[in-house]
Amino acid sequence: RAHTELDTAAALVRELGEGDPEAERLLAEAAETAQEARRLEKGARSAKRQAESEAARAHAAAEAMERAKVAVQMERLKVERANREAMELSAACALKMHSTSRVAEAELKEMERAVAAAAVKAKEAEGV
């Protein structure tokens, strides 16, 4: 827009002739407007680059968060698996202990019978 105004003002100056105060004023305004437009355009390009850079950083951060979420979920699954294996092992140990305890009880009763039988034989031997 500023370039168009500058072109229009320059054409007016040529039309009205050099030295015409109105034409000179219009040309000066158009030059100021063109300079302001270039400054604003430069600022807009800079803002656009900055916005694109921020968007890229935000995208990278979102991807990193997703990777972190996946890693946390995987760790959670590992912990759940380890807990399940620990409970299974604990149950197996309890079963083994119960089984071992029953075997030990049976062996103890067998020994008590053997001791009782030996005591009976010893008394019988004393009586002979």
Side-chain angles (χ1 to χ4, degrees):
R1 179 175 174 252
H3 296 295
T4 305
E5 282 186 26
L6 189 56
D7 292 341
T8 304
L12 258 160
V13 168
R14 282 191 297 276
E15 217 176 274
L16 295 174
E18 301 265 342
D20 183 310
E22 181 62 17
E24 294 292 333
R25 186 185 64 74
L26 286 173
L27 187 58
E29 282 181 18
E32 282 180 35
T33 303
Q35 187 177 10
E36 179 67 13
R38 282 191 293 273
R39 187 185 66 73
L40 290 173
E41 188 178 333
K42 183 179 177 184
R45 282 193 306 266
S46 175
K48 181 183 176 190
R49 280 191 305 273
Q50 189 174 3
E52 287 170 347
S53 176
E54 289 296 323
R57 277 196 290 276
H59 182 71
E63 285 179 343
M65 262 178 38
E66 278 304 310
R67 286 192 301 273
K69 283 180 186 177
V70 168
V72 165
Q73 185 61 28
M74 288 176 66
E75 288 304 313
R76 206 174 273 143
L77 291 173
K78 285 180 188 176
V79 167
E80 287 174 6
R81 185 181 327 123
N83 283 340
R84 207 170 34 255
E85 288 172 358
M87 287 191 316
E88 289 169 2
L89 186 59
S90 176
C93 286
L95 187 61
K96 180 70 174 170
M97 284 175 55
H98 181 69
S99 173
T100 303
S101 173
R102 287 182 147 207
V103 168
E105 258 182 50
E107 288 177 351
L108 182 61
K109 285 185 181 178
E110 187 61 36
M111 283 187 213
E112 286 173 349
R113 280 190 221 111
V115 168
V120 168
K121 283 185 182 176
K123 280 193 176 190
E124 288 175 354
E126 282 177 12
V128 169

